[in-house]
């Protein structure tokens, strides 16, 4: 049975407990054995993390000890999937740039705050994760992010919508959904999900479900490739997070 770990906490305004419960329900419906924790100490056992298929951080504006972040990085580099949404993953630990490097981006602003009406544009043909999903509208925070240029962009939103000091810049398409690799692990992120009601939108629920499955599938593919004699090592693996090279 595939195993997943959801770790929630941090700023209560993002309803981390409620969102974690929704994610748990989605994964259990897909046959995962799910552990849900409200402490970052859940990242303390590196060997346990290496035995998972998927890690879902759902923790906003916190601080993480370097050894704990190193453990997550080591697990993902070895093939464990990493997936999450909104501030729970890419505004989790603002002072940890290594975490931001691993996840693919970090939050910097949401002009207009909550309640902005905007469109999410699917990038056609970008991934099976978005196959058959049409552009859709959402009323929520519109995340402006600093994004790793290495990510594969699956959906975008156009800025500016809400007024602000950014408004006189040229219009830009900001990534909303993306994937990337960290070592041989798969990383999935969706900037939607300010509160549980956004996660409950059918299209967002489906995006998260597909993203979870895609990220977790990487562990099996790595194992199969290794069993067949393929090269699965993370050549040139990033070692900025301590002794996490695998």
């Amino acid at each position: 049975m595939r195993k997943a770990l959801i770790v929630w906490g941090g700023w209560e305004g993002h309803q981390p407990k409620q969102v974690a419960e929704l994610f748990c329900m989605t994964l259990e419906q897909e046959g995962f054995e799910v552990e849900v924790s409200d402490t970052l100490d859940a990242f303390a056992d590196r060997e346990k993390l290496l035995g998972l298929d998927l890690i879902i951080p759902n923790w906003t504006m916190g601080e993480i000890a370097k050894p704990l972040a190193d453990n997550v990085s080591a697990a993902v580099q070895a093939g464990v999937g990493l997936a999450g949404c909104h501030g729970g993953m890419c505004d989790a630990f603002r002072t940890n740039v290594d975490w931001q490097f691993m996840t693919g981006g970090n939050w910097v602003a949401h002009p207009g705050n909550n309640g902005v009406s905007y469109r999410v544009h699917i990038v056609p043909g970008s991934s099976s994760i978005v196959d058959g999903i049409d552009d859709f509208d959402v009323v929520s925070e519109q995340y402006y992010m600093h994004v790793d240029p290495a990510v594969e962009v699956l959906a975008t939103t156009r800025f500016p919508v809400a007024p602000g000091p950014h408004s006189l810049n040229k219009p830009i398409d900001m990534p909303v959904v993306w994937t990337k690799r960290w070592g041989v692990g798969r990383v999935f992120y969706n900037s939607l999900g300010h509160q549980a009601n956004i996660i409950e939108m059918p299209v967002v629920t489906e995006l998260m479900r597909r993203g979870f499955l895609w990220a977790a599938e990487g562990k099996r593919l790595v194992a199969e490739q290794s069993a067949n004699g393929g090269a699965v090592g993370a050549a040139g693996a990033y070692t900025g997070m301590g002794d996490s090279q695998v």
Side-chain angles (χ1 to χ4, degrees):
M1 178 179 287
R2 293 170 297 179
K3 296 182 179 181
L5 171 65
I6 302 172
V7 179
W8 66 268
W11 185 57
E12 288 293 330
H14 278 163
Q15 299 180 339
K17 184 174 187 293
Q18 295 94 318
V19 170
E21 289 171 348
L22 292 171
F23 288 166
C24 181
M25 181 173 62
T26 295
L27 290 170
E28 288 180 341
Q29 290 172 348
E30 294 295 331
F32 281 77
E33 176 185 325
V34 185
E35 177 184 349
V36 180
S37 176
D38 63 354
T39 172
L40 293 176
D41 289 340
F43 296 146
D45 187 337
R46 179 178 293 203
E47 291 305 312
K48 181 178 178 180
L49 296 183
L50 287 166
L52 298 172
D53 297 278
L54 181 64
I55 297 170
I56 301 174
N58 190 37
W59 197 290
T60 305
M61 292 187 290
E63 296 285 340
I64 189 168
K66 185 178 184 299
L68 301 183
D70 287 351
N71 287 346
V72 177
S73 177
V76 179
Q77 288 188 59
V80 178
L82 183 71
C85 76
H86 202 65
M89 182 159 141
C90 284
D91 191 24
F93 312 113
R94 292 182 181 178
T95 62
N96 193 306
V97 294
D98 292 323
W99 182 272
Q100 295 160 16
F101 193 10
M102 176 175 64
T103 58
N106 60 290
W107 171 85
V108 294
H110 40 59
N113 299 312
N114 196 20
V116 175
S117 178
Y118 61 97
R119 172 146 285 214
V120 175
H121 302 277
I122 301 299
V123 178
S126 57
S127 170
S128 60
I129 295 172
V130 295
D131 281 354
I133 295 178
D134 296 324
D135 296 352
F136 60 95
D137 296 316
V138 65
V139 179
S140 184
E141 292 179 339
Q142 187 184 29
Y143 259 23
Y144 200 101
M145 307 190 73
H146 288 171
V147 180
D148 183 344
V151 304
E152 297 290 338
V153 179
L154 279 55
T156 66
T157 185
R158 175 59 61 96
F159 277 87
V161 174
H166 65 297
S167 297
L168 293 182
N169 293 309
K170 65 181 180 181
I172 59 96
D173 293 317
M174 176 62 58
V176 173
V177 182
W178 69 68
T179 60
K180 68 171 291 186
R181 304 302 176 105
W182 189 249
V184 295
R186 294 178 169 191
V187 178
F188 169 83
Y189 176 71
N190 183 353
S191 72
L192 300 171
H194 176 61
Q195 291 186 330
N197 67 310
I198 301 298
I199 296 297
E200 288 176 318
M201 292 175 59
V203 66
V204 179
T205 297
E206 180 63 9
L207 282 170
M208 296 309 302
R209 184 189 73 84
R210 294 185 186 186
F212 292 157
L213 294 178
W214 177 86
E217 181 72 1
K219 181 72 173 291
R220 181 186 65 80
L221 295 176
V222 167
E224 287 183 357
Q225 189 174 359
S226 179
N228 293 329
V232 297
Y238 177 64
T239 58
M241 299 182 84
D243 60 341
S244 57
Q245 186 170 359
V246 295

